[in-house]
Structures are given as structure tokens and as C-alpha cells.
Amino acid sequence: MFDLLFLGFGEILNLKILLVLFIGVVVGVIAGLIPGFTVAMAIVLTLPLTFGMEPVTGIAAMIGVFVGGMSGGLISAALLGIPGTPSSVATTFDAYPMAKKGQPGKALSIGIWASFLSSIVSLFILVTIAPQVSQFALKFGPWEMFALICLALTIIASVTGDSIIKGLIAGLFGLLISTVGADPIMGFARFTFDLDVLRAGIPFLVVLIGMFAISRLMQSLEKSQLEKDRLERLNEDASEMKFTLKPFQSLKKVISKPMTLIGSSVIGSIIGAIPGAGGSIANIVAYDQAKKWSKEPNKFGTGCEEGVVASEAGNNSTVGGDLIPTVALGIPGSAVTAVLLSALMVHGITPGPLLIVDEPNIVGGIFVAFFIASLAMLITQFAGMRVFVKITQVPTHILVPIILVLCVVGTFVLNNRTTDLYILLAMGIIGYLFTKYKYALAPAIIGVILGPIAELNLRRAFMTDPDWTLFLSRPISLTFLVLTVLSILFTIWQTINAKKKAQV
């Protein structure tokens, strides 16, 4: 663990990398505070800019965007009552009432400190657990890896969206996309329908940009005039708010609630480590648990300091948890870490249990970049808050064309193929339809990433030994498959139970 940290500091403590990391944090905060502009969308747009960088520099930039974006949602949640990101929903419950009472500076300051301190807690959990999980995963053969990916996909499908069926359909769609193009072992073309545009396959980065960024732009353009007018009025109210940030006073208030801070951070880290769960779930669960354990639960929802601490700690601590399966197993915990894995692949680095063994400098760089990004986020938020508040007032009709240009340019520079632009448009329309009919995008994206790994391990297993019972006779593989079935059954039971309660 300490060797990894020493290697990481050696990689990251470079003026160029620190500057890139700081810019990434600023970009992330801006992305997080704009309602509707998600962290995943920001990191997808950042990815093409990292191709000319060294692997550690590129990863540091995206870690910066990730950390900044997760904390940036606090600003619009507190001042507008609109979560900048889905993971800031519970933050609006107390931060906005506190701001309306004439204490916007207090709400923001408490949220910033909770974000920073919870990130440090989750970093400690990440650095402690990830190497141990990776050591255990070195025992995996192709049978275990295939079973693990099956488990990951079912968990992703079950925890994202309102319906497990829709989640599974989205995941299977992602797997289907990953089979288009050349066979990974024999090299034969398949599912191309004699179309030149599909012969090279469907690049997963184009799928990412299309389904997240383009679909989100389509949704922004679809907003009614009534919604736009409401957002403008809220922006005007926010611009009229006078606030003073008091960092040291706020720090004392956050530290005076250690159980809420540490408890919410641990909850966020655990939920973040579950593939597909993410900050939106952790934010709500941490808030709910803090309210249940509080001595004064009636104060929650009225501008309670404890509520702001719980929601922001639960939200930001998911970053460390999210990186555990990503670093240790090569399985993305969310769409954001799926992009991080994509960046590693672009640079010729194979993610998986051997990553810590083969590329300890990269893993150490991720750990240290997370720490420095958290520190940069703290400084950036306090120093630049007045500027960030003004950015919330930028109208949609200015943002949309800028982002669209970045999407198109980013897609083209991936492979210098105009055919990728047609795929980008198609994926954007499909992503828009997914969100329109409430199909979660995360299972589809992660299905595209994990599909080739699952297929490769399945075929390797049968090439090694055609006996399919080995999936059931090997203890670790059997455990993962049993957990896969239990995951599906548990989610079905939860869905039926929820429907019964709704009817009552």
C-alpha cells in the first residue's frame, strides 16, 4: 500500500500534471453545477483531449473532473434548489431551505467541507481494500471472470432505473453492440450486414459520447418554455443572494458531527463499490440513515446542518468506492469509471486484477490524484464560488452548440473516420429514446465495456476445457453465479413488494 503511494507521489508531483489536474477539477465543478450537465457527460468530453497525454496525466485529468463534478452539484442544489447532478438530489432537502433562510454561505461551506472530508475517508478505504481485492482476484481463471461479469451486469441492471427488466434490456443492448465487428479471437467480421460503417465495429467511446452527451443535448432542447422561464427566475434569485463563506467556522460545525460524517462516508464508499449504484443512490441512502439515527429527525428538511453533511458526504465518498472494483478487478463501478477504463485501454494498458502488479505507477497515480484533486476541489470551491454562481446563469441555447461541437470533434479525432459521426448520431438518438422511455443508460454503457471481456473469457474457458460444468464445480465461479441468481430474485422481490405497498 505504501509502495503504491510513494510511486503515485513520484508520478503526480509534477508541475504539468498538477496543472492538468487542477484544470480538470475546475471543469468538473462547472459541469456539476449546471443542471442537466452530468459528470459522466463531462468526463466523456474530456476523454478525447487526453489522447496526446501520458497515461498518468490523462487519468489525473479525468480524476480531477470526477471529483470536481461530484462536489459541483452542491452549488445549484443549495442556491437554486435544483440538483446539478443526480447525486445531489438529497442535498436540496436541507441546503436550499438553509439558503432561503438567508444562510447560503453556511450551506455551501458545510457542503464543501463534508465533500472534502468524506473524500479523504473513501480514499483511505480505497487504498486499504483495493490491493487486497486485487490479490484475491489473481486466483481467477476465465470461468471466474465470466461469472463475475455476469454478476456485475445483473447488479448494474437491478440498481439503476425503476425496472430490472428495463435494466437488463439496456445491459443486453450494450452486450449486443459489443459483438458488432471483428471476432476477438478468429478475426471474422460479424453482424455488419455488409455495411462499411460497421466493419470496424462500433467504438465504445463513440457509444459513450453519443448515448450520454448527444442524448442529453436532445433532452435540453426539448425543455418547455415554462421550465426555461422557471430556471431563469431561480437564477435571478440566486444572483441576488448575498453570501459570505466562513471556512473555519463551517469546518468546526462539520467536525462536531463525526458519526454523521464517517457513517455517511462509509455508506457512500460501500454503495460506490457496487457496480452501477453510484452517487445518486448513496446520496439518498446516507441522508435517510442520518435522519433515522438523528436525535432530532424533525429538523431534517428545514435547513438542518446534519442533513447537508450526510447528503454531501454520501455523495462524494462514492468516488473512492467506485474506484475499488475499477482498480482491483477491471470492472467499472459506473459510467464514469467505464470511461477511465477506456482511457487506460486507449493507452495500451489492460485493466484487471493484474493492473496493480503490472502498472503500480498508474494505480499509485490514481490514488494520489484522488487525494490532490480533493484538496484542489476544496481550494477551488472556496476561492471561486462567486464565479461559479454566475456560471449557473448561462442560458441553454449558448451551452448546447458549444457542447455539440466538442462531441463531434472528439468523436472524429478518435479514429479520423467520418463513419463514426453516423454512429454518433445513431447512438445519440438511441440514448435519447432510452431516457425518454425510462431505460437507464449505465447498464448499456457498461455492457459495451464488459461485453468483449465476458466473451473473451467465455471462449477461453471452452477452448481450455469444453466441459461447461466447470462453471459450477469451481467454488469461486459457482459463488458468483449463485450471487447472480440471488441478485435477480432479490430485485424481483423488491419490485413486487414495492408495488404491493403502493396499492395499499
Side-chain angles (χ1 to χ4, degrees):
M1 181 178 75
F2 291 109
D3 289 343
L4 286 172
L5 289 174
F6 283 131
L7 280 170
F9 276 110
E11 291 283 345
I12 299 295
L13 292 181
N14 173 295
L15 187 59
K16 178 185 172 185
I17 295 176
L18 291 174
L19 181 61
V20 168
L21 181 60
F22 178 79
I23 293 170
V25 170
V26 174
V27 169
V29 172
I30 292 170
L33 66 85
I34 300 172
F37 193 98
T38 63
V39 181
M41 187 173 169
I43 209 163
V44 164
L45 293 174
T46 305
L47 180 59
L49 304 176
T50 66
F51 291 163
M53 301 177 184
E54 291 295 317
V56 173
T57 310
I59 293 296
M62 287 192 285
I63 293 283
V65 175
F66 193 5
V67 172
M70 292 301 282
S71 69
L74 161 72
I75 298 170
S76 51
L79 300 183
L80 304 178
I82 300 172
T85 61
S87 54
S88 299
V89 171
T91 306
T92 62
F93 299 166
D94 279 292
Y96 186 57
M98 193 182 289
K100 293 296 283 182
K101 286 179 180 178
Q103 297 176 309
K106 181 181 175 183
L108 291 168
S109 299
I110 290 173
I112 293 167
W113 276 116
S115 299
F116 171 71
L117 294 173
S118 65
S119 295
I120 300 305
V121 173
S122 72
L123 173 62
F124 175 77
I125 294 171
L126 166 66
V127 173
T128 307
I129 292 177
Q132 311 308 320
V133 175
S134 178
Q135 282 291 108
F136 173 68
L138 289 175
K139 300 175 183 177
F140 293 2
W143 301 271
E144 287 78 14
M145 282 304 297
F146 177 76
L148 176 63
I149 289 168
C150 288
L151 173 61
L153 286 171
T154 55
I155 292 173
I156 291 161
S158 63
V159 299
T160 50
D162 300 324
S163 165
I164 186 173
I165 300 298
K166 288 183 175 181
L168 287 171
I169 289 171
L172 290 171
F173 174 75
L175 292 175
L176 180 65
I177 288 175
S178 70
T179 61
V180 175
D183 175 281
I185 292 177
M186 306 302 292
F188 297 128
R190 57 189 184 174
F191 304 122
T192 59
F193 304 101
D194 285 332
L195 296 173
D196 292 335
V197 70
L198 296 178
R199 292 216 172 156
I202 300 178
F204 54 82
L205 299 179
V206 177
V207 176
L208 278 169
I209 296 172
M211 293 194 79
F212 267 98
I214 300 296
S215 66
R216 182 68 65 178
L217 294 180
M218 290 180 176
Q219 284 179 281
S220 298
L221 292 172
E222 195 186 32
K223 280 184 182 175
S224 67
Q225 188 58 45
L226 190 66
E227 288 176 295
K228 291 174 183 175
D229 291 342
R230 175 174 167 268
L231 194 58
E232 282 178 14
R233 283 197 302 273
L234 287 169
N235 282 328
E236 286 172 9
D237 292 342
S239 64
E240 290 171 6
M241 280 186 184
K242 294 180 180 180
F243 58 87
T244 304
L245 300 175
K246 297 179 179 178
F248 297 109
Q249 290 181 19
S250 303
L251 175 60
K252 287 179 184 177
K253 291 181 184 295
V254 174
I255 292 174
S256 68
K257 298 167 179 57
M259 298 308 295
T260 301
L261 176 67
I262 295 170
S264 299
S265 300
V266 171
I267 289 170
S269 299
I270 293 169
I271 292 175
I274 300 170
S280 54
I281 295 174
N283 183 245
I284 297 288
V285 173
Y287 182 87
D288 178 62
Q289 290 303 307
K291 184 177 180 181
K292 285 177 179 174
W293 287 95
S294 175
K295 293 177 182 177
E296 299 174 306
N298 294 335
K299 287 189 175 181
F300 279 70
T302 62
C304 173
E305 295 172 3
E306 205 172 348
V308 179
V309 172
S311 57
E312 278 303 293
N315 168 18
N316 286 268
S317 57
T318 55
V319 177
D322 199 349
L323 289 169
I324 292 173
T326 307
V327 170
L329 302 173
I331 292 178
S334 67
V336 174
T337 46
V339 183
L340 287 176
L341 288 184
S342 305
L344 291 175
M345 293 176 185
V346 166
H347 288 287
I349 297 167
T350 304
L354 286 170
L355 182 64
I356 291 179
V357 177
D358 294 341
E359 303 285 350
N361 60 318
I362 297 289
V363 175
I366 290 172
F367 293 164
V368 175
F370 180 23
F371 169 71
I372 295 176
S374 301
L375 198 58
M377 175 273 294
L378 179 72
I379 296 166
T380 303
Q381 288 264 47
F382 277 117
M385 184 57 70
R386 295 188 185 281
V387 177
F388 292 141
V389 169
K390 290 179 181 177
I391 292 171
T392 62
Q393 298 157 35
V394 177
T396 305
H397 68 267
I398 293 175
L399 285 175
V400 169
I402 294 171
I403 297 166
L404 182 61
V405 170
L406 289 173
C407 290
V408 172
V409 172
T411 300
F412 181 74
V413 299
L414 293 175
N415 301 300
N416 291 329
R417 290 198 303 252
T418 53
T419 51
D420 285 353
L421 300 179
Y422 301 128
I423 297 173
L424 176 73
L425 177 61
M427 288 299 118
I429 293 169
I430 291 169
Y432 168 74
L433 292 173
F434 265 49
T435 51
K436 184 89 171 168
Y437 293 99
K438 293 183 169 49
Y439 284 80
L441 293 178
I445 298 299
I446 295 174
V448 175
I449 299 288
L450 295 182
I453 304 171
E455 181 186 5
L456 198 59
N457 281 287
L458 180 63
R459 293 179 68 173
R460 279 177 181 167
F462 283 120
M463 287 169 71
T464 305
D465 192 325
D467 183 8
W468 64 270
T469 59
L470 285 171
F471 285 99
L472 303 176
S473 60
R474 295 171 70 96
I476 298 174
S477 173
L478 176 62
T479 302
F480 286 146
L481 291 175
V482 169
L483 289 173
T484 300
V485 174
L486 289 176
S487 169
I488 295 171
L489 292 176
F490 178 70
T491 309
I492 292 170
W493 175 80
Q494 273 189 320
T495 305
I496 294 170
N497 211 29
K499 284 181 179 177
K500 284 181 180 178
K501 285 181 179 179
Q503 288 172 356
V504 172

